[in-house]
Amino acid sequence: YFYAPDRRGENGEKFLPGFNGILQIDGYTGYNRLTKPSRKGGDPITVAYCWAHARRKLYEVAQSGTAPIAEDGLKQIAALYRIEKDIRGLPPEARLAARQDRSALLIAAFEAWLTTNRAQLSAKAPLGEALKYIAKYWDGLCLFLTDGRIEMDNNTVERTIRPIALNRKNALFAGHDDGATNWGVIASLIETCKLNSVDPHAYLTDTVTAIVAGHKQSQINDLLPWNYTK
């Protein structure tokens, strides 16, 4: 977690210096500057977009009334997710092979469906706007076909930030920017513990105890969550 006092795009440059990999995000435009050759702190980043956000636009239209086109789009996306369910947990190479063999054809069909329906709908209609959103981020949505490390969506990240987002209003007038920065560090440690099946309370207790007892700063890596043993 990284705290920033606002949503300006330059914040991405501050917490991703030197990172030159793939960034998976929703449609937030603040990260666009990271994809440019002029990016500060590293080479241009490749951006993969989120199918859950693309699906949500169609779902909202389908929920508002009879919308066969939106429902058809949801069915096509559901077929892609069924493939992802089958290959979840497999090595990247195996996931990539399965996607090339099974998902690529569905993506090609979806692209044709998207083009046909966009030509027939007003871009200002709710469904037209939903399709426009998908088309806008199409290249990044298809990136999962070329790299087995990429997920179809960023729901894992969404789930880990939701508790903090829900608490945001409670914390508006508590502490200050330094407190928020420190909380970002603590929250990162807690969530990293969870990802590594480590009890956060036990980890923090033992780690603080070790630091107080004089654990050497040069050996700080030994205290990271993935190296923790009771």
Side-chain angles (χ1 to χ4, degrees), residues 51-173:
W51 274 97
H53 283 81
R55 179 190 179 280
R56 187 178 305 164
K57 301 292 183 180
L58 291 174
Y59 179 78
E60 291 171 355
V61 174
Q63 289 295 103
S64 64
T66 303
I69 295 177
E71 292 172 358
D72 187 26
L74 291 173
K75 290 179 181 177
Q76 294 185 64
I77 295 174
L80 290 168
Y81 270 101
R82 283 194 293 270
I83 296 172
E84 291 300 302
K85 183 178 180 180
D86 291 342
I87 63 177
R88 186 171 297 127
L90 295 179
E93 297 78 10
R95 287 171 19 128
L96 177 60
R99 288 168 176 173
Q100 288 290 320
D101 182 50
R102 302 170 59 188
S103 303
L105 293 175
L106 299 183
I107 287 291
F110 190 96
E111 183 176 22
W113 172 89
L114 180 66
T115 301
T116 298
N117 285 290
R118 284 196 71 202
Q120 298 173 355
L121 293 167
S122 168
K124 296 183 179 180
L127 180 55
E129 290 182 351
L131 298 183
K132 180 181 178 181
Y133 178 93
I134 297 174
K136 179 179 179 181
Y137 299 110
W138 184 251
D139 289 343
L141 288 170
C142 295
L143 205 61
F144 79 107
L145 293 177
T146 65
D147 193 321
R149 297 171 299 171
I150 300 173
E151 299 293 340
M152 262 192 69
D153 57 46
N154 61 351
N155 280 347
T156 301
V157 174
E158 294 282 339
R159 285 191 293 269
T160 61
I161 66 174
R162 185 170 292 115
I164 289 180
L166 292 175
N167 185 57
R168 190 163 40 199
K169 289 185 178 180
N170 296 332
L172 277 178
F173 306 103

Side-chain angles (χ1 to χ4, degrees), residues 21-71:
I22 297 168
L23 182 67
Q24 187 147 26
I25 59 173
D26 56 18
Y28 172 54
T29 59
Y31 289 110
N32 287 351
R33 62 197 296 156
L34 300 179
T35 67
K36 299 178 180 179
S38 59
R39 174 204 168 193
K40 298 179 181 177
D43 298 327
I45 283 178
T46 300
V47 174
Y49 288 109
C50 171
W51 274 97
H53 283 81
R55 179 190 179 280
R56 187 178 305 164
K57 301 292 183 180
L58 291 174
Y59 179 78
E60 291 171 355
V61 174
Q63 289 295 103
S64 64
T66 303
I69 295 177
E71 292 172 358

